[in-house]
Amino acid sequence: MSVIVRTPSDKIIVFCKGADSIIEKRLRSQELKVLEKTKQHLDEFAKTGLRTLLIAAKEISEAEYQSFASEYQAAQTSFRKEEESEAVASKLETEFELLGSTAIEDKL
């Protein structure tokens, strides 16, 4: 799951959270060393029954955002809305920097 925000300093940042198996595929190659250490912590959290997620982000340019927004809007009006929206989002959800992880108790 991702969200795009514009900061008060006018930067555009894409934040993404999800399972480690999903986020790992979307990280920059330079992040793999950090991911290795983070996975050790995730394993410890999981052993105690906590539900874990990774959080990642990247800054994008105004042009990248405008291109994404245009493609996403077109996908939203398509007959294959789900598939096309996911394809557009997947193009944006790459080359992330790993920010950290969460671990919460999930009583469900």
Side-chain angles (χ1 to χ4, degrees), residues 39-74:
K39 278 188 158 188
Q40 292 173 2
H41 294 293
L42 292 176
D43 289 343
E44 291 172 27
F45 297 147
K47 286 177 186 172
T48 63
L50 299 176
R51 186 170 149 240
T52 61
L53 295 171
L54 290 180
I55 302 168
K58 73 174 183 178
E59 186 175 339
I60 61 172
S61 69
E62 183 69 37
E64 287 173 297
Y65 172 73
Q66 292 301 329
S67 176
F68 164 78
S70 176
E71 287 182 51
Y72 193 77
Q73 182 63 37

Side-chain angles (χ1 to χ4, degrees), residues 6-20:
R6 186 180 299 270
T7 68
S9 60
D10 216 31
K11 292 180 181 179
I12 302 170
I13 302 174
V14 181
F15 289 95
C16 185
K17 66 126 175 117
D20 57 331

Side-chain angles (χ1 to χ4, degrees), residues 29 54 70-71 88 92-94 96 101 103:
S29 58
L54 290 180
S70 176
E71 287 182 51
V88 172
L92 185 66
E93 294 173 332
T94 62
F96 282 114
S101 66

